[in-house]
Amino acid sequence: MRIRFKHGLTDLSNSLVRGERALALALALAGMLVANAQERTNKGGVQSEIVPDWENPQMIGKNKLPYHSTLQLPSREGACKEIRSLDGRWRFHWAKDPQSRPADFYRSDYDVSGWDFITVPGNWQMQGYGKPIYTNIPFPFKSDQPRVTSEPPRDWYAYDHRNPVGSYVTDFTVSEDELKQNIILHFGGVKSAMYVWVNGKEVGYSQNPMSPAEFDVTRYLHAGSNRLAVEVYRWSDGSYLEDQDMWRLSGIYRPVQLWIRPLQHMADYTITAVPSADFSRADVKGKVMLCNLSTKAAKGMTLRMKFGNLSMERRVDLLKAKDTIAVELAKTLERPRLWSSEKPNLYDVSVELMDAQGKVLEHFDTHFGVRKVEVRGEVMKVNGRNVKLRGVNRHDHHPRTGRYVDAATLEKDVRLMKQANINFLRTSHYPDMPFLYELCDRYGIYVMDEACQESHGYGIGNKIIGDNPLWVKAHVDRARSLVERDKNHPSIIIWSLGNEGGAGQCLKAMYDTVCALDSTRLPFSDSDRRYSAIYDDSYLPPDKLEQEAKRISDRPFIMREYGHAMGNSMGNLKEYWDVINADSSIVGAAIWDWVDQGIAKPIDGSALRPSSSLQLQSDEFWAYGGDFGDKPNDGNFVLNGLIGPDRTPHPHYYEVQYFYQPIDFKRVEDKVHLINRD
């Protein structure tokens, strides 16, 4: 008999798109099936199995706040008085499986003074706990969805490390005045699942590791020192949707923050700027969710969005206590400067909420761009012009800090892309660090923003996950979190439902969710083409690409992946781009991939050296799959970038730079024609 830990189910309808009755019925049925599975009994009436949250596809979170946009530009967070960083050195304990973890470590009186320290943000494998595992397609644990602790082969790392658990503890102070406000705990990314406690009280639970998780912790705090405890599981049922071709790393790997907010505040805002048919003007609209958490109604507040010499302003006569309302603003912008990869014109915006006396309660900095993305027949257009997406796929990877990538390295990546004439980035295969999107807005790079959804271990287009009602809720959650966080970035022109995943009702639910949330961008799916505005077929040789693009006549064509940049590669780029440039229905293609995912490992086998440095030391080498004794692994297949882990360009980087040039010349009789494909 296997006894597990039980936690309750959340409301099945939290993430549903309004009006989808068929989907609601499917989810209700799924909930009944899960409930029945949880209450399985033997003939004597004794419960034989209790399912933990982290092996239950219906449990995606408890007490999490709704997803919302990145309220403050990442580059301006230092100027935001509401944000307090909790990053730094935390106490840490690592256990090889759930049974070995310190189950009651979250108690306020639990002594952690003898524990090690770990750096947050960061992956625990990069700091000496457990092993990094690199696999492309195979799950690194026994494939038995939704379970992740079934018995794998004896020689696998997971055999004796069935589901490692990291226990984190840190302390922070809060003042009496701050307790009178609303205090939000923000996690930028935690992989794969986590429980959160404050001062010994359980706050909540979260999966969906590549998107933020937020909790209202106001009621759990007291003046003075407070204790935060986080329990992180390496694997969860969500890991079946996280089967990306990358190092499998875990932990609190993105920043942790406290947001200390006024009781009346902006919970979310959306800015759209849609140009007219002739691009002579643009309708700029703002939608702000205003929240009042006090026990008294707020009267006479003013909401303002200001950009340049223009502003949109709205008086809010009444915001009832404990209420949230949507406030809409609008302005017509004459002769707008359009945003494109070639000319990334941005309008800087201040978003402010003021009380009845004109005092600023909240201020955020953001920007918007005016641009139009559409499909006309077989052609994709940006601002009415045909575009060619000269692309690359990119993972968040640093050779010393793993999945956490510092701001300087993010900007180095984007600058190197622009220098190589790359104008298109696919965030393979999850939402990236928020600062990356701000950089793409500023530098001018089109983005396919991708949901964290890949179940490749069951096959592309599989029904086991993709058409299973038990998994609909998790798919929808990952689609919603993608759009809600990144919706204000003009660089994003395509929403991807994920990569190499399932097909069926789960993909349809993702598609319906994305389309309901945002109609200004194109939805994309490689695994279920019914739910994609662009047809994808990847790794085709040039002649096959030409044939397939001609055969597909109902939409544009793209290769989301091609030109596998491993070893002595990129030799036939000319042949590819002769085909792509000759056919207006081919949108473009994205090379696999950007950076070698090597890890800087000492030759003598001593501990890794986490730091922000990209440089390889003389006594280190670039490690790949298997170099840590990790099994299963896919060896050096993780080293297939245009640049090295230290961001040094490989020779084929310059091949890409040459053939990705947007400028071409053509001689016609006695004239030379200049061609701009940007």
Side-chain angles (χ1 to χ4, degrees), residues 86-91 116-120 127 169-170:
L86 296 185
D87 296 345
R89 302 285 281 171
W90 293 33
R91 291 288 185 177
D116 296 336
F117 284 100
I118 197 169
T119 298
V120 172
Q127 301 185 56
V169 173
T170 193

Side-chain angles (χ1 to χ4, degrees), residues 11-29:
D11 180 5
L12 296 181
S13 63
N14 283 348
S15 298
L16 294 178
V17 178
R18 185 177 297 172
E20 291 183 355
R21 295 182 180 179
L23 178 57
L25 290 173
L27 284 175
L29 174 61

Side-chain angles (χ1 to χ4, degrees), residues 94 124-125 129-134 140-141 148 157 161-166 191-193 232-236 239 242 247-251 630:
W94 181 84
W124 71 53
Q125 292 86 358
Y129 303 95
K131 293 182 178 180
I133 300 173
Y134 166 62
F141 45 83
V148 293
Y157 178 71
H161 302 80
R162 206 56 63 88
N163 190 10
V165 180
K191 191 171 178 67
S192 171
V232 180
Y233 288 77
R234 180 166 194 173
W235 312 118
S236 71
S239 300
E242 296 151 23
W247 286 103
R248 312 305 173 97
L249 304 171
S250 37
D630 47 307

